[in-house]
């Protein structure tokens, strides 16, 4: 089984308080080293955050097992201080940001559809 077969792509949405956007951006220019290592140890990779001018935050990462990644971060003592420090930036959020962010369902992935197309093409030409 290839990495593409086991990788889960996760996208989530949060709302940053528009009055704190500059501070939020500043904090993410140099995330605490312990938090970076905790994210890495949880199995998350290719992790990005995108922030719109009105505070809409979209996050994306890849992992082999999102439930295990979530549990690892929840149990990792390195994450609690960062999450507590960052919690006040978000509007309408109950709980820790890494645990409470609503997930967005994936509706399209280019590589998956190309692979299916190539598979169909191969099957009809064998």
């Amino acid at each position: 089984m290839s990495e593409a077969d086991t990788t889960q792509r996760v996208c989530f949405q949060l709302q940053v308080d528009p009055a704190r956007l500059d501070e939020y951006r500043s904090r993410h220019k140099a995330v605490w080293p312990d938090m970076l290592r905790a994210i890495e140890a949880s199995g998350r990779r290719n992790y990005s955050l995108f922030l719109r001018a009105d505070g809409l935050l979209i996050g994306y990462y890849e992992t082999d097992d999102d439930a295990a990644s979530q549990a690892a971060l929840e149990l990792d003592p390195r994450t609690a201080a960062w999450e507590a420090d960052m919690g006040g930036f978000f509007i309408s959020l109950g709980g820790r940001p890494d645990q409470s962010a609503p997930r967005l369902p994936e509706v399209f992935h280019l590589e998956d559809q190309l692979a299916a197309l190539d598979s169909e093409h191969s099957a009809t030409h064998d």
Side-chain angles (χ1 to χ4, degrees):
M1 193 174 243
S2 72
E3 181 181 322
D5 295 331
T6 62
T7 297
Q8 294 178 337
R9 294 175 298 273
V10 179
C11 183
F12 61 90
Q13 173 184 330
L14 291 166
Q15 181 65 43
V16 176
D17 180 349
R20 300 188 71 188
L21 291 177
D22 289 340
E23 184 182 1
Y24 186 84
R25 284 186 198 96
S26 177
R27 298 267 188 108
H28 281 82
K29 285 182 182 176
V31 171
W32 300 347
D34 278 352
M35 188 62 199
L36 296 173
R37 294 298 182 199
I39 292 169
E40 179 183 46
S42 78
R44 291 183 181 178
R45 56 191 179 274
N46 199 24
Y47 196 150
S48 297
L49 297 174
F50 303 88
L51 183 60
R52 202 166 66 182
D54 66 357
L56 176 68
L57 179 79
I58 300 295
Y60 172 86
Y61 60 86
E62 297 168 354
T63 184
D64 293 331
D65 184 339
D66 193 37
S69 175
Q70 289 280 88
L73 286 171
E74 185 175 10
L75 296 172
D76 192 319
R78 298 174 292 184
T79 66
W82 175 264
E83 294 295 336
D85 195 49
M86 296 306 295
F89 283 91
F90 302 103
I91 296 173
S92 302
L93 181 67
R96 291 172 46 173
D98 70 319
Q99 303 293 319
S100 303
R103 300 301 200 257
L104 303 176
E106 183 177 51
V107 297
F108 171 78
H109 185 248
L110 176 64
E111 285 76 10
D112 286 351
Q113 289 198 19
L114 286 172
L117 185 64
D118 291 345
S119 177
E120 289 173 18
H121 181 74
S122 293
T124 61
H125 289 86
D126 285 344

